[in-house]
Amino acid sequence: MPYKYNIIHDHIFNLSTKHSSMAFSSTSKLSVFFLFLGITSIVSADFNNEFDITWGDGRGKILNGDLLTLSLDKSSGSGFESRNEYLFGKIDMQLKLVPGNSAGTVTAYYLSSKGANWDEIDFEFLGNLSGDPYILHTNVFSQGKGNREQQFYLWFDPTADFHTYSILWNPQRIIFSVDGTPIREFKNAESIGVPFPKEQAMRIHSSLWNADDWATRGGLVKTDWSQAPFTASYRNFRADACVVSSGKSSCGGSASSGGNQAWLSEELDNTKQERLRWAQKNYMIYNYCSDSKRFPQGFPPECKMA
């Protein structure tokens, strides 16, 4: 499998046994306000020009240039990757996840470099039984080291319609957002000895695959192949980013000093900081920076940053 994964089995089991109707309950006035603020215009790119289906023997398809689908059956899943490599960017993709009983399936959407000391920025969607919420799993790898998991429920059904999942990656921070609402910020903590992904160009990858040995209730709930094929859909890709080709960045001689791209120095303003706190208070279900059993000798140094 082209994807390197680190999962907390006991935590997934515990989450999956909890009552989870809150994930699909009526949105509060506050969440409606935040969703309204998060609406942005998306300019669709042609998938034929931006991506290659890399595996799956025909199970991945690009339809009319503006829709991409990945499918999974008992024989194989499927995946794609971007033709471009990026070193910093603001990247949006709209996804509609596998509906119904998606237990055992994982839809991974991430940025990754190559090599033993790779960098990686992950969105992953862990399937569940019909009627239960997806778990959105996020992680950041730098120099081959991850173990920085944060997990969330969503405030909507991600299988009913397309929603925008965004990564802002600049030299100071990485921000994960859903429909314009930031859910996680990972700041550059090199000053206290924490490597930050800023030297290695990364491609965009996505895959839909079977992980029923761990994905749902720690592997207790297996994939129901009578529901196959499972399909996830993608549209409205947009990348405002520094493209790296032959060792040179489209942002200029140095990506970190790249021209007039406002996102290269973007940070959360007061409104977005409030939205981040709202998302984390109401929908975060796991944070490695508060898992004292996992880190009995003390939390990782970046956890001390505000």
Side-chain angles (χ1 to χ4, degrees), residues 11-144:
H11 178 65
I12 295 296
F13 173 81
N14 290 335
L15 285 173
S16 300
T17 59
K18 291 182 179 179
H19 178 68
S20 54
S21 60
M22 50 81 71
F24 300 124
S25 61
S26 299
T27 26
S28 65
K29 291 181 180 179
L30 182 60
S31 62
V32 171
F33 171 69
F34 285 156
L35 289 171
F36 175 77
L37 286 177
I39 295 172
T40 58
S41 61
I42 300 293
V43 179
S44 179
D46 188 331
F47 279 107
N48 289 303
N49 296 331
E50 300 288 346
F51 296 97
D52 291 315
I53 306 294
T54 49
W55 64 284
D57 195 22
R59 291 172 179 82
K61 296 181 172 64
I62 296 175
L63 307 172
N64 299 320
D66 59 2
L67 180 69
L68 190 154
T69 61
L70 296 181
S71 292
L72 163 70
D73 58 33
K74 198 168 186 177
S75 298
S76 178
S78 50
F80 66 83
E81 73 174 18
S82 63
R83 294 184 176 180
N84 288 326
E85 291 186 290
Y86 305 98
L87 186 58
F88 307 126
K90 191 172 186 179
I91 295 166
D92 299 329
M93 181 79 82
Q94 291 191 331
L95 280 73
K96 183 163 69 171
L97 300 180
V98 174
N101 180 358
S102 58
T105 72
V106 173
T107 305
Y109 171 62
Y110 58 104
L111 290 164
S112 183
S113 64
K114 296 180 179 180
N117 296 315
W118 78 100
D119 294 337
E120 190 167 309
I121 304 170
D122 298 339
F123 275 116
E124 298 176 271
F125 304 89
L126 312 186
N128 217 325
L129 292 170
S130 181
D132 288 344
Y134 266 80
I135 292 174
L136 170 53
H137 178 101
T138 67
N139 205 349
V140 176
F141 288 75
S142 51
Q143 297 297 306

Side-chain angles (χ1 to χ4, degrees), residues 143-164:
Q143 297 297 306
K145 180 184 181 299
N147 300 323
R148 300 183 177 106
E149 300 91 346
Q150 289 184 0
Q151 296 176 334
F152 303 82
Y153 287 144
L154 294 165
W155 49 93
F156 52 83
D157 179 354
T159 74
D161 203 350
F162 286 89
H163 292 268
T164 303

Side-chain angles (χ1 to χ4, degrees), residues 148 150 171-174 185-196 276 280 287-289 299-306:
R148 300 183 177 106
Q150 289 184 0
Q172 296 83 37
R173 58 188 43 83
I174 296 164
E185 181 180 27
F186 183 81
K187 294 181 180 179
N188 185 330
E190 289 178 305
S191 61
I192 56 174
V194 179
F196 185 82
L276 175 67
Q280 294 192 343
N287 181 4
Y288 77 108
C289 282
F299 293 117
E302 68 270 17
C303 294
K304 299 180 178 68
M305 298 181 66

